[in-house]
Amino acid sequence: MSDATEKPVENHVFEADVARLLHLMVHSVYSDKDVFLRELISNAADACEKLRYEAISAPELLGSDPSPRITLSLDESENRLIVADNGIGMSRDELIEALGTIARSGTRAFMERIEAAKAGDGAQLIGQFGVGFYSAFMVANRVDVVSRRAGSEHAWRWSSDGQGSYTVEPVALADAPARGTRITLQLMDDAKSYTSKWSVERIVKEQSGHVPVPIDLIELPSGETSQIGDGTALWTRPRTEITKEEYADFYRSVAGQYDEPALTVHFRAEGRHEYTGLAFLPSNKPYDLFDPTGKGRMKLYVKRVFITDEAELLPRYLRFVRGLVDTADLPLNVSREMIQESPILSAIRKGLTNRVLTAIEKLAESDKDAFTKLWDAFGPVIKEGIYDDFERRAQLMALARFRTTASVEAPRSLAEYVKGMKDAQAAIYYLTGDNLAQLQASPQLEGFRARGIEVLVLTDSIDSFWVTMAPDFEGKPFKSITQGAADLAQVPKLDAKEPASAESTEAVKDFIAFAKVTLADAVSDVRASDRLTESAVCLVAPEHGPDRQMEKMLAGAGRLDSAAKPILEVNPDNSLIAAVAANSNEAFRADAVNLLLDQARILDGDRPSDPRAFADRLSRLFDQALKG
């Protein structure tokens, strides 16, 4: 029996994030609100698929109604739209958890972006972030959800006007579905079009025509029923019979995004293991792309029965890929816990990964512009694979594109870089950092520019890591220009200048020796530089250990017990160095040496080690210059 008369109505307040999200939904204006229907249908389809999975071990859950379906009921006279399914349904606790809280990470990022977006961008953001159920409040001033979990003798109603609170109360079984969920939207006055059969049918066919559950439409009060979606699984059809629009429609449904797929990979694998894969690469970055706890978004089916969306079907560096795999090689009653240990799944993962990477490679060859857009969006993530996927490291390195000092606007491949190397050049040179403009102004680049040597300019966080794991490319090792000796003497300058006089050189040598003693506690060495052509000084890391950028990242993350002393390089041809070296006043030279070190730190993006001492030294030199 139902306990509808035994428990009172419960009043709840939305969690802060939900309340904020609902406020945005109710008070914001969007160019296209149709996305709400796709989101509700997608949720209903998921509920039906979850029931199919649970019914494998508990067939009694299906009762006398084994066929899944979604029903849309239109009531124009009452300005009401009802979305119902006969899926798994929800208990009281599940209703509160699913509709009263937001568990998915990234919600805050969604809200910040949607608040900053213009009205015309709103619908795209909703689709991109997949806010699901809450999108109903874009068109409804009240939403009632009645749900009964399959196999339960209790039903519950969740109600809210989207203004900050909701109620939960028991419902008599006579007023509830036999199982599943019924969502009733009391539409706003400007949303009456969603009670029109023509309007709703158009939206469903455009956005949800390929969900794997049949969709019926009922016009109330006459009760006339028509089927507007037959539940045919798109991935089971031959590729030649599927249009680009149908793929895009299905992508939006399965991915919970609203952009166009940049690349579609649909294949049937045969042989030792047979399975169908349908993978989409988005055009836009998913909101949780860099969420450290985020998983992939590939769904696993067994004989068209949804099993889980938590199986690791692709490596983490392909976590932006959306889609599914359907196989007959796994038993229907396989547990989610055993899936990850399955050798069959390992084989599927390997095959799917190879197919996706091959498709990206083909795109790079056939459509450079499309590939460039794809790389701009997902290159920083794909490069994670160079770091941790040893098996495919060479393939990923060949696929990768990089900005260089010779090609900032049009990223180049490593193969293009190697082809353009100087005859005497022994390494692939790179410079890492956070800011492109700052890197382009780096003094460490001067000697390389003067010789026409191309340098990779790497600004993604992962860049500092993968270069340490990739020993070489086509036999050419990677070398940071901020670490060790530059070894540029073998490559002549493009515009060679007259060498400095012997007298000047001796004075600079003496000054460098003085600096080495004076700065012994702060640096490991002071030496003449062949990488500087304009600046007076720069800092470099010792030959062994992390380079300057890696050291900063490790220190910032608290993973560096003690930093190695840097090396101060001095440009012997610089006029300032020559002038300072010619001054024999030891107090002046000591101040100058320390100021040059702080100057190098500032050029490296750091602060002087002692700001007060820096200011005092600068004042003394100004005073001496004014008196002199």
Side-chain angles (χ1 to χ4, degrees), residues 71-183:
T71 304
L72 308 179
S73 301
L74 314 178
D75 191 339
E76 186 175 4
S77 62
E78 297 293 332
N79 199 26
R80 188 180 296 156
L81 169 64
I82 301 171
V83 180
D85 67 73
N86 64 343
I88 192 64
M90 290 177 280
S91 65
R92 169 195 169 277
D93 292 345
E94 288 170 332
L95 270 173
I96 294 173
E97 181 181 1
L99 306 185
T101 64
I102 296 182
R104 275 183 74 175
S105 59
T107 303
R108 187 171 302 281
F110 160 75
M111 290 188 289
E112 289 173 352
R113 286 191 60 185
I114 204 170
E115 285 178 323
K118 297 179 180 178
D121 298 328
Q124 180 179 352
L125 284 173
I126 292 169
Q128 181 178 345
F129 287 87
V131 296
F133 170 78
Y134 302 105
S135 60
F137 287 96
M138 292 192 299
V139 298
N141 50 36
R142 182 164 197 85
V143 178
D144 294 309
V145 181
V146 176
S147 193
R148 178 181 178 184
R149 206 179 200 289
S152 173
E153 291 300 312
H154 305 287
W156 299 86
R157 176 186 290 111
W158 180 101
S159 300
S160 178
D161 58 5
Q163 299 300 309
S165 64
Y166 63 94
T167 62
V168 176
E169 61 182 315
V171 176
L173 295 185
D175 298 326
R179 70 163 187 268
T181 301
R182 182 175 68 232
I183 302 175

Side-chain angles (χ1 to χ4, degrees), residues 457-503:
V457 185
L458 309 178
T459 57
D460 296 321
S461 297
I462 189 62
D463 289 327
S464 292
F465 295 91
W466 72 257
V467 290
T468 65
M469 298 299 293
D472 64 75
F473 180 80
E474 295 185 0
K476 302 293 184 180
F478 292 92
K479 183 173 178 58
S480 169
I481 69 168
T482 66
Q483 183 174 27
D487 298 327
L488 295 177
Q490 299 300 318
V491 182
K493 293 182 180 180
L494 299 176
D495 183 17
K497 296 181 180 179
E498 291 294 324
S501 66
E503 182 179 348

